[in-house]
Amino acid sequence: MKHKIVTISRQFGSGGRTIGKAVAEKLGIPCYDQELIAMLAEESGFSKEYVKESGEHASRSSWLSSLLSDRVYDTPITEDILWEAQRKIILELAEKGPCVIVGRCADFILQDRDDRLSAYIHADKELRAKRIVEVYGEREDSPEKRVADKDKARAAFYKQYTRRDWGDAENYHITLDSGKLGLETCINLLVELY
């Protein structure tokens, strides 16, 4: 089956966004990453800032409930509205034509499509910490803490809405270690698989 949609899940600082954009460019298809924030804000009625902060993060109460009981409770209605808007947009983008979608549980949302290639990009924590300083600059929190916090938030969000473990190889067609393989090799592999 020829692939039409590429979904990229990624650890923070692994280069997944860069890989997604480069794959789309080489294939001559659109890449949806930050563009989804504006679409989600328009669809949901929430501000871009709220969407950016909440779009891949579980609510604290739901995350805590999930952590303690391995079940999801009390998801605030605003996050459910945002999830439904996100789901609707991703399904529409996939129907519209070939594209690359970075993050936002697209691998799960589009799991029933036979024309989807799903990738998970990961790398060593030290390499990712170094990369986020190079790409995003220094912040008050240490790079290691930023990486750990962002990964924890993404994992909780993924669990909250998919009931699956983020980063579990069984959820993806391929997992790539961008630290060991390098960004260019990851890009070329995904283009080849497409």
Side-chain angles (χ1 to χ4, degrees):
M1 165 65 72
K2 186 176 191 286
H3 296 109
K4 178 178 165 187
I5 310 298
V6 178
T7 64
I8 297 185
S9 298
R10 74 280 184 233
Q11 289 181 321
F12 184 52
S14 66
R17 172 180 291 149
T18 303
I19 291 167
K21 287 183 180 197
V23 167
E25 190 174 305
K26 283 190 172 204
L27 295 173
I29 61 177
C31 179
Y32 300 102
D33 177 26
Q34 295 297 317
E35 301 80 1
L36 285 172
I37 293 171
M39 293 174 181
L40 284 168
E42 187 176 327
E43 177 72 26
S44 68
F46 295 119
S47 71
K48 286 182 186 177
E49 293 76 26
Y50 179 79
V51 170
K52 188 174 183 176
E53 280 303 308
S54 302
E56 288 186 310
H57 297 96
S59 68
R60 293 180 193 265
S61 62
S62 296
W63 181 81
L64 184 57
S65 296
S66 297
L67 177 69
L68 296 176
S69 66
D70 199 32
R71 292 177 51 194
V72 179
Y73 293 102
D74 304 326
T75 302
I77 191 136
T78 55
E79 285 157 3
D80 282 344
I81 291 168
L82 191 56
W83 167 257
E84 284 305 316
Q86 177 173 294
R87 187 178 173 285
K88 179 180 180 233
I89 289 168
I90 288 170
L91 289 168
E92 287 172 357
L93 291 172
E95 279 304 309
K96 194 173 169 181
C99 62
V100 174
I101 303 173
V102 179
R104 310 231 170 245
C105 301
D107 62 289
F108 176 78
I109 293 167
L110 300 174
Q111 68 182 324
D112 294 331
R113 291 188 67 109
D114 291 333
D115 60 351
R116 170 188 58 97
L117 173 62
S118 176
Y120 181 77
I121 311 298
H122 59 97
D124 177 81
K125 193 177 275 189
E126 288 77 29
L127 184 136
R128 293 187 295 128
K130 181 178 180 239
R131 188 171 191 283
I132 67 165
V133 170
E134 292 169 359
V135 174
Y136 304 112
E138 293 285 349
R139 300 272 160 71
E140 190 174 309
D141 288 338
S142 73
E144 294 78 14
K145 181 175 179 354
R146 289 165 55 199
V147 164
D149 289 350
K150 191 77 150 182
D151 284 350
K152 185 187 278 187
R154 285 181 178 169
F157 179 83
Y158 193 83
K159 183 75 162 187
Q160 179 174 328
Y161 286 103
T162 71
R163 310 261 173 137
R164 301 191 311 190
D165 293 325
W166 180 68
D168 184 339
E170 290 182 11
N171 298 333
Y172 313 96
H173 296 117
I174 187 168
T175 64
L176 299 170
D177 185 335
S178 62
K180 300 276 191 232
L181 298 171
L183 298 183
E184 197 61 37
T185 299
C186 292
I187 293 162
N188 292 335
L189 283 168
L190 290 174
V191 167
E192 175 101 9
L193 287 170
Y194 185 88

